[in-house]
Amino acid sequence: MEQAINVGAILDDIAANYPDRAVFMEVERDSALTTTTYGDLLETVNRRSLELSERGIANGDIVLLLEPVSKQLYIDLLALLKLGACALFLDPGMSTATMKNCLREVKPKAMIASGFYKILATVTGLSAEIDCSKKLDSDPVKALTEDSPALITFTSGSSGRAKAIVRSHGFLRNQLAVLKKELAITETRIELTALPMFVLANIASGACTVLSKAGIKDPKKASVKVLKKELSISGADSILASPSLVGNLVEYLKEENSALLNLKTVFTGGGTVRADMIKAAARVFPEADIITVYGSSEAEPIAHLKESESSQEDRDLSRRGAGLLVGSVIDEIELRVLPLDKPDDNVKRYTTHLKELHGDACFEAQTGEIIVSGAHVVEHYLLKEDEIGRKLDLEGRRFHRTGDYGYLDSRGRLWLTGSVAPGNNLSYAAEETARAVLKDNLQLAFYKNHLYIETRNSPGPAPVLFNRLRMALAFAGPTEISTVANIALDRRHNTKVLYKELERRALLSGRGRLFILGDQGLIFRFFKSINLRSRYAHRG
């Protein structure tokens, strides 16, 4: 096996040169801090590789890892990679039916499950989907190559069917190198994160990862009290988490009037990062650089933005409909803006609005779908049919279609305004503008010229604000506004709005009101209460 190719060897050099350096930290219930060194991890991984080999796992075998985020998960992952086997991950937020479909598509040879997940696999019948006769590569002695598969994950499926992404050993090495450079990972960093790709990047960089017991894989259920304790006791200087989890931690710290002074960097991404959350985070993390990382399952990262590099003018532009600024595109990414074939009147109106906002005679305001290419951008899915509408060959290169809609400003910075789905081109821009008018920490969703305001059984915003909304959202065209009990969010990050749910289940709670904002003025239409149980938060 060629160690120079096998990404599982990322541990070897660091462990050989710095065996006593901490790779993992864990804060126990009694507040004790336990540490695992690189030397300890290498010894355990080598022993685990031997155990798995003796059980029949070999080069090319696909093995499902169904384990909680823990030290054992990374021991098993690194052991599989060293053997040349391919590790398969399923998102715990998937429904059982989706998980079964994924397993039937990939056909793993074996499963490593523990704790609750072991019971889940048995009860739901996932275990029955493991076909021990199937291999991705049936030759156990075939030499490992750059193209040999190392990891298989699935997209969230929030915009359609979950798609299988195969990352090869060569691809992973490229991606880990890009993450190390762009996130400025050094051997002195102590970071709390639950995302396996970033944990691997930390290991490859000689950094230390705090393995949380706060349940942060599910941002809605995570204990921010435990999270705060872990960050304080471990002395972590960095956290990388979804906007939902960072937002929940920020609210908790605000309520108890406290701050985390040890944090020097806060990375957040994986969904819409709201300007109001970033502003609040700066107060409770006063010593930290707050950095928005933009990317996707197929391309991570694409761009990033330090809050300190965002000016008051940028924030004003966002409030007036310019969209979400996600920063400068990284050097390793080739990015294009692909115009819509048939832009509607709203998009044409918005182009004029952007030129007025940016006030630059040379600014072309070319909006369209964001497409990207690069060595760390996934070029193929496992199934060729999944590539239809998601991959594009252009200028002799394979581009990934992100599905996001936006533009580059005159300084080459990327702004997102929505998605390419019909009715979603201006969603992010409209939501940020509406949030600035309402001046409240409300969940909003703009879809097909309809603004939904989540009330969670509260009275909702005062009617006087709706006239202001009408004027502020003029760039998006005549708009309807309704209050709803809950707005559907994705299960993985609890951040992305599931816009189609709003159309299918336009629920009203309490004395819900629908306001039609058109050119003729403000018209009120009142509806009787509809007592229906919302299932928004449980769908994904």
Side-chain angles (χ1 to χ4, degrees), residues 341-381:
D341 291 334
K342 297 180 180 179
D344 59 21
D345 291 340
N346 289 339
V347 171
K348 294 175 182 177
R349 183 189 299 109
Y350 185 65
T351 300
T352 302
H353 179 66
L354 282 181
K355 290 182 178 180
E356 294 173 353
L357 278 181
H358 287 276
D360 187 341
C362 299
F363 179 51
E364 296 182 2
Q366 176 63 67
T367 60
E369 182 178 8
I370 307 304
I371 62 173
V372 293
S373 179
H376 69 289
V377 178
V378 174
E379 293 188 346
H380 303 282
Y381 295 117

Side-chain angles (χ1 to χ4, degrees), residues 69 91-93 117 194 214-224 242 244-245 248 490-494 537-538:
V69 177
D91 193 316
Y117 294 102
I216 60 178
K217 281 291 286 183
D218 186 344
K220 284 180 60 182
K221 298 178 181 178
S223 170
V224 287
S242 70
S244 176
L245 182 59
N248 290 343
D490 71 295
R491 283 181 162 184
R492 177 176 289 184
H493 297 299
N494 195 45
H538 304 290

Side-chain angles (χ1 to χ4, degrees), residues 463-481:
V464 68
L465 291 176
F466 288 99
N467 204 27
R468 297 180 194 171
L469 280 171
R470 172 183 180 269
M471 293 184 288
L473 295 175
F475 66 83
T479 304
E480 295 182 358
I481 302 180

